Amino acid sequence: MERRSFIKKSTMAASAFGLGLSGINAMPKGAFNSTLASKKFKMHFAPHLGMFKHHAGNDPIDQINFMADQGFTAFEDNNMMTRDVSLQTKIGETLAKRNMTMGVFVIQKGGNLNNTLAAGKQEYIDIFLDGCKKAVDVAKRVNAKWLTVVPGGFQRKLPIGIQDAHVIEALRRGANILEPHGLTMVLEPLSDSPDLYLQRSDQTYMICKAVNSPACKILFDIYHLQKTEGHIIRNIDLTWDEIAYFQIGDNPGRKEPTTGEINYKNIFKHIQNKGFTGILGMEHGNSVKGKEGELAVIKAYRETSDF
């Protein structure tokens, strides 16, 4: 692409939501120009590390500051438990300073398909409960309230009712650890593999009702549930009283809103009209590489939340 054409297209993308390319490109890595600050989003969208690295650089703190400068009021990091304690502490301090809310991180239990709670094996339950205990300390450092849990793989040799009972019992024990600290594990049904135990919103709703604790709720990932069941707005309504957290990704492709088939503007409006004031995690990739793609992500969220 000719340089003149690239600059023209990049300028148009930047101006669409009030950013001047000259101002952005003039910034050294890690520096933030107050003239670039955008108004806060009306909903608590939560980017993740790496989403804006071409503008902010590789330093996690600089990336969080860039998010705040663009009007984002939340942040999520699936891998928070794997990060150094010193970085966790810095992230917590930065979020507090920028008045941002910490979103989910994943309770470590060995991977999405591993150490499945549906099996009812004590060794798997112990790994999960140990993860819950360790997550409490991490949550305190970053002021987190929501912790993602994936129960694990489906057990083809066990009746589904037995698997349900195993999962419910394990989650009750996890809730007993988290509830005294005001923490909530959010169960995430996934579409990644037919071998996963938890895949549907109604199934997750049933489990939350059975666990019967404020420490066990639904993470309604719109991307995954569009793939497995569709009827997003209807299923949000059916499971509403157990939903504590949303995650976002368009389908196909799992990129930012407006790149696929999901009408996110209608969904965001519906969620807000129902009174949701929590976090919507941006758990997706960028459809375009580099700075141009990062600007496109911000533009997409401006457009889909403009109602």
Side-chain angles (χ1 to χ4, degrees):
M1 181 183 295
E2 293 184 1
R3 184 173 184 274
R4 180 179 299 177
S5 176
F6 171 79
I7 292 174
K8 181 179 179 180
K9 289 184 178 180
S10 299
T11 302
M12 290 175 64
S15 63
F17 49 90
L19 296 180
L21 248 185
S22 60
I24 290 178
N25 289 333
M27 289 192 298
K29 284 187 176 180
F32 301 94
N33 189 333
S34 61
T35 62
L36 298 179
S38 301
K39 66 178 181 179
K40 291 183 178 181
F41 285 92
K42 65 174 69 175
M43 303 181 81
H44 296 297
F45 299 123
H48 56 79
L49 294 180
M51 183 165 274
F52 301 116
K53 66 181 180 180
H54 292 283
H55 279 103
N58 291 322
D59 182 80
I61 304 304
D62 288 346
Q63 291 185 38
I64 292 171
N65 278 315
F66 181 84
M67 296 170 194
D69 287 343
Q70 308 318 310
F72 292 104
T73 58
F75 164 75
E76 69 175 26
D77 180 19
N78 285 343
N79 299 316
M80 184 65 76
M81 287 189 70
T82 68
R83 305 196 186 282
D84 292 339
V85 170
S86 60
L87 179 57
Q88 293 172 3
T89 302
K90 288 180 182 178
I91 288 174
E93 292 171 349
T94 303
L95 293 175
K97 182 178 179 181
R98 299 308 304 264
N99 196 29
M100 297 177 73
T101 302
M102 180 67 209
V104 292
F105 63 82
V106 175
I107 291 181
Q108 288 187 306
K109 54 170 281 298
N112 286 348
L113 281 165
N114 296 330
N115 300 317
T116 175
L117 303 182
K121 294 183 178 181
Q122 189 60 48
E123 60 186 291
Y124 297 165
I125 296 171
D126 289 343
I127 290 171
F128 166 62
L129 297 180
D130 183 62
C132 290
K133 293 173 184 176
K134 292 177 179 177
V136 170
D137 291 332
V138 177
K140 289 178 180 179
R141 295 186 194 109
V142 298
N143 196 28
K145 296 180 180 179
W146 303 277
L147 316 171
T148 303
V149 170
V150 177
F154 184 79
Q155 302 296 288
R156 300 188 182 278
K157 294 183 179 181
L158 290 177
I160 187 62
I162 300 300
Q163 294 185 64
D164 292 341
H166 287 162
V167 171
I168 290 164
E169 178 59 26
L171 293 176
R172 283 177 177 169
R173 295 178 64 181
N176 288 338
I177 295 171
L178 301 174
E179 188 174 339
H181 301 280
L183 301 176
T184 300
M185 56 180 156
V186 284
L187 309 182
E188 183 177 14
L190 299 174
S191 63
D192 296 327
S193 169
D195 293 324
L196 285 159
Y197 164 80
L198 193 64
Q199 299 191 39
R200 305 186 318 276
S201 61
D202 64 319
Q203 175 193 17
T204 315
Y205 183 82
M206 177 275 293
I207 292 170
C208 289
K209 287 297 185 185
V211 174
N212 192 29
S213 168
C216 184
K217 297 294 178 182
I218 297 172
L219 192 172
F220 197 105
D221 188 307
I222 298 169
Y223 162 77
H224 284 297
L225 292 173
Q226 170 70 4
K227 290 176 65 180
T228 57
E229 62 188 27
H231 300 289
I232 294 299
I233 288 177
R234 178 178 184 269
N235 288 329
I236 286 173
D237 288 345
L238 287 174
T239 61
W240 181 255
D241 59 309
E242 294 293 337
I243 296 174
Y245 201 100
F246 286 93
Q247 282 184 326
I248 302 160
D250 215 336
N251 182 57
R254 199 173 185 177
K255 306 301 182 185
E256 70 269 14
T258 73
T259 58
E261 66 187 4
I262 303 175
N263 189 334
Y264 266 105
K265 191 166 189 173
N266 277 0
I267 292 173
F268 290 157
K269 184 177 181 179
H270 185 75
I271 291 170
Q272 188 175 68
N273 286 345
K274 288 181 73 70
F276 185 76
T277 58
I279 294 178
L280 301 97
M282 298 159 58
E283 196 185 36
H284 58 74
N286 298 359
S287 63
V288 179
K289 295 181 180 179
K291 288 187 175 182
E292 183 180 358
E294 295 173 0
L295 297 179
V297 168
I298 302 172
K299 179 176 181 288
Y301 279 92
R302 290 292 178 194
E303 289 180 348
T304 52
S305 62
D306 181 20
F307 46 78

